[in-house]
Amino acid sequence: MLFLFRDHADGNKHYIAPIPDYAIRKLIDLNPGFKDDIRRGFRQMRQGDAIALLEAAACIAHDTYPDLDVQQFLDEMDRLQERLQRRMPQDAQPLQRLNVLNRFFYGELGFSANLNDYYAPDNSYLHEVLRTRRGIPISMAVLWLELAQGIGLN
């Protein structure tokens, strides 16, 4: 079993989700276009290591978008996390944190489903969802969860 984690600037690892070994094997088998280092990384992770979800998604996108600056994408998420943290009262309870996050993500940032072109492949690439603020629910959920975990919502 593989577990996804995300390292945050605060030095903590935040648990994301388990991924069964068979899913990792199938992902590798069905995507021969993965770069060798990505394949090697997934094989190592099957042996019990952790993977950072955003980094993994960016590496997968890098296969389709070779000019993608992975670090720039990760830095942008860190900047959003910092902006969100500045809006968060120090003594905020979980429900208040959730409300602030939702107002920030859906209201201020304007994330929503891409209803005009729901099945477009770019709706699945997190860097494109971050850029356009449009995507499919699962892609937006990954970004939302990243921010949620950064403010202590687990």
Side-chain angles (χ1 to χ4, degrees):
M1 183 75 60
L2 166 71
F3 292 90
L4 298 180
F5 292 88
R6 168 73 165 117
D7 289 320
H8 284 276
D10 64 8
N12 294 322
K13 285 189 178 289
H14 297 276
Y15 173 77
I16 303 288
I19 297 181
D21 287 344
Y22 74 86
I24 298 300
R25 283 192 301 276
K26 186 165 185 116
L27 179 64
I28 292 169
D29 293 342
L30 293 176
N31 294 286
F34 274 146
K35 296 189 182 315
D36 288 337
D37 56 338
I38 295 172
R39 279 195 204 112
R40 196 170 35 257
F42 275 122
R43 286 189 186 107
Q44 289 171 352
M45 288 179 278
R46 284 182 20 213
Q47 297 170 3
D49 295 340
I51 179 175
L53 182 59
L54 283 184
E55 286 86 341
C59 289
I60 290 169
H62 191 267
D63 197 45
T64 302
Y65 292 93
D67 293 334
L68 171 63
D69 185 337
V70 172
Q71 190 58 54
Q72 183 179 1
F73 165 70
L74 298 173
D75 290 346
E76 178 62 24
M77 282 301 297
D78 287 342
R79 283 190 291 277
L80 290 178
Q81 187 70 60
E82 290 168 5
R83 286 175 56 191
L84 177 59
Q85 284 287 3
R86 286 193 298 270
R87 286 156 179 75
M88 193 64 56
Q90 290 288 357
D91 60 343
Q93 297 299 310
L95 185 56
Q96 185 180 7
R97 291 178 181 278
L98 178 64
N99 287 331
V100 171
L101 171 59
N102 284 338
R103 281 194 309 272
F104 179 71
F105 191 79
Y106 297 109
E108 187 176 330
L109 297 178
F111 280 94
S112 68
N114 186 349
L115 300 176
N116 294 325
D117 197 6
Y118 188 84
Y119 297 101
D122 280 348
N123 291 334
S124 298
Y125 293 108
L126 297 185
H127 72 287
E128 285 297 312
V129 174
L130 183 61
R131 183 182 66 80
T132 64
R133 306 293 201 252
R134 299 289 177 268
I136 56 175
I138 190 71
S139 298
M140 289 188 302
V142 170
L143 297 175
W144 186 94
L145 281 170
E146 182 72 16
L147 294 172
Q149 290 175 342
I151 59 169
L153 294 175
N154 295 320

